[in-house]
Amino acid sequence: MAVAAAPALSLSAAAGGGSLLFRQLFDADTGTFTYLLADVSSRKGVIIDTVFEQHGRDLALIRELGIELVASIDTHAHADHVTGSWLMHEATGCAIGLAAATGAENVTQPLAHGDSIVFGSRALQVRATPGHTNGCLSFVLDDQSMAFSGDALLVRGCGRCDFQQGNAHTLWASINEQLLTLPESCLLYPGHDYTGRGVTSVAEEKAFNPRLGGYASERDFVGHMQNLKLPHPHKIAEALPGNMRSGKPRELATAAAWAPLARSYAGLPELTPTWVAAHQGEVTVLDVRSAEEFNGPDGRVAGSLLIPLPELESRSSELPANCPLVVVCHSGSRSALATQQLLKAGRPQVANLRGGLRRWTAEGYPLDGVSQD
Ligand SMILES: [Fe+2]
């Protein structure tokens, strides 16, 4: 039987009909924003300021959208989280971009003021904006409609200047010469926010930034910055060395996963019909449809165990204790919920069958009890 190809996602639709796809992602643990941009016509994209622990999420989105990642770039060597750049490079082959001034290992695209990061027909212009660290960069979209300012300029704030060669005088110059000279309508996307503010504009920061906007002078700004008295970020001891390796782990994980799980952007561990069909003897296929469906003309996977979704919690003792579970239903929807429930209950080895029995059949794998009518 011919294998049904997955329908190609319209990137234009995902981009809201425009020519540029833009996503802002958030890591709640560190208040870090990650940005994904892609040129719709070529599907080439870049990702800015990834977080190591969010790699699975970010990669799932890139894959679901069908984006060919050109580069994973960072605005600076962060002190509060480790970049996911090396993991992204390993997964997609993309370049790793960071300021050459940082001197980090594993950087394949060392960046400096005036460089362009090209993705398809679009590009980000690199501007040096030191002061928070000596290697801080900001990335300005080719049409100057948006800029990614890292920690140089935050929403109604700015990055601290009290370590990593920070300097308040330098930061004042960077912000005023490189960022606030952009068009007033240029949207500014920060590296962090801890109170839910995701975007600002040049006009707003000129008017309302309490450190440097309004009538503030360089002396006012420096006086403010030198008296912040902030505690050091709690992850600094692991974050800085990790970022000086571009996020390459010191020791690579050697424990093999029980199956080649792919995590969806929805957060689910998934397996393909091909893998499940080839490993049916090593897993329990758990069918969570109703008994009528299980015994009806649609058929079932040979040897599968039936526990309908509404009964899953009360009948969990019927699940084999030490056998991996692959959860199935008609389309993969009810089994997705069952997979989440089982993971939440502490079951370590469980995955959803991607696309459910519909995709299983479409890919040519057999079912027992199928009516030929
Ligand atoms: Fe920072």
Side-chain angles (χ1 to χ4, degrees):
M1 189 185 295
V3 174
L9 182 106
S10 162
L11 196 57
S12 170
S19 60
L20 180 81
L21 177 123
F22 172 64
R23 290 286 186 277
Q24 181 180 49
L25 300 150
F26 186 60
D27 176 58
D29 202 32
T30 60
T32 301
F33 289 118
T34 296
Y35 300 99
L36 177 66
L37 295 101
D39 169 42
V40 165
S41 58
S42 65
R43 299 190 98 97
K44 292 184 192 295
V46 295
I47 194 162
I48 301 171
D49 284 341
T50 55
V51 173
F52 188 90
E53 288 81 4
Q54 298 289 358
H55 171 70
R57 175 199 68 183
D58 299 346
L59 182 63
L61 180 60
I62 287 163
R63 290 197 167 144
E64 288 181 12
L65 294 177
I67 290 170
E68 183 192 331
L69 200 66
V70 171
S72 176
I73 58 180
D74 277 281
T75 51
H76 62 296
H78 309 276
D80 64 316
H81 69 273
V82 176
T83 176
S85 271
W86 185 83
L87 294 175
M88 203 55 89
H89 166 77
E90 287 291 291
T92 68
C94 71
I96 296 175
L98 185 69
T102 306
E105 296 170 25
N106 303 311
V107 173
T108 64
Q109 190 173 0
L111 298 171
H113 185 88
D115 287 351
S116 284
I117 300 156
V118 176
F119 55 107
S121 62
R122 306 303 300 263
L124 290 168
Q125 313 298 338
V126 178
R127 294 191 179 197
T129 49
H132 167 59
T133 75
N134 62 343
C136 280
L137 303 174
S138 293
F139 304 120
V140 181
L141 191 62
D142 43 23
D143 62 3
Q144 300 197 341
S145 62
M146 52 172 75
F148 304 89
S149 53
D151 293 358
L153 185 57
L154 305 173
V155 181
R156 306 296 191 267
C158 64
R160 62 198 294 172
C161 302
D162 55 338
F163 57 79
Q164 287 184 279
Q165 298 84 42
N167 182 300
H169 293 282
T170 309
L171 185 57
W172 169 265
S174 292
I175 292 170
N176 281 288
E177 292 166 17
Q178 299 299 331
L179 296 172
L180 298 185
T181 50
L182 288 164
E184 295 221 325
S185 60
C186 180
L187 297 177
L188 297 171
Y189 290 92
H192 291 288
D193 197 81
Y194 308 99
T195 60
R197 301 169 299 185
V199 62
T200 183
S201 63
V202 169
E204 282 171 82
E205 295 310 311
K206 273 184 178 173
F208 300 121
N209 192 302
R211 300 181 183 184
L212 51 96
Y215 298 106
S217 65
E218 180 172 350
R219 189 179 56 204
D220 299 327
F221 176 73
V222 172
H224 185 126
M225 296 308 293
Q226 287 178 343
N227 288 283
L228 281 175
K229 296 190 175 64
L230 296 169
H232 268 206
H234 68 280
K235 284 190 180 175
I236 189 168
E238 61 175 289
L240 276 181
N243 286 323
M244 291 306 282
R245 300 188 300 273
S246 299
K248 182 178 181 180
R250 208 181 287 280
E251 287 170 20
L252 299 181
T254 49
W258 65 275
L261 298 171
R263 191 160 291 270
S264 70
Y265 189 52
L268 278 177
E270 293 184 327
L271 287 169
T272 61
T274 304
W275 188 90
V276 176
H279 296 82
Q280 263 179 276
E282 301 155 33
V283 301
T284 296
V285 175
L286 172 66
D287 195 318
V288 296
R289 294 175 299 164
S290 67
E292 293 74 42
E293 289 172 279
F294 186 81
N295 295 310
D298 285 351
R300 59 198 167 270
V301 176
S304 54
L305 170 67
L306 171 69
I307 302 181
L309 178 59
E311 300 166 28
L312 187 57
E313 210 176 327
S314 60
R315 292 175 58 190
S316 62
S317 61
E318 294 174 37
L319 295 168
N322 297 315
C323 188
L325 294 178
V326 178
V327 193
V328 307
C329 70
H330 171 251
S331 68
S333 165
R334 282 169 288 174
S335 58
L337 182 56
T339 300
Q340 282 172 341
Q341 284 183 10
L342 290 160
L343 288 168
K344 210 171 163 190
R347 185 102 196 173
Q349 297 183 331
V350 53
N352 191 31
L353 177 68
R354 186 183 300 161
L357 299 178
R358 282 287 301 268
R359 182 165 161 187
W360 174 274
T361 309
E363 295 195 7
Y365 299 107
L367 294 172
D368 279 2
V370 177
S371 164
Q372 302 301 317
D373 299 339

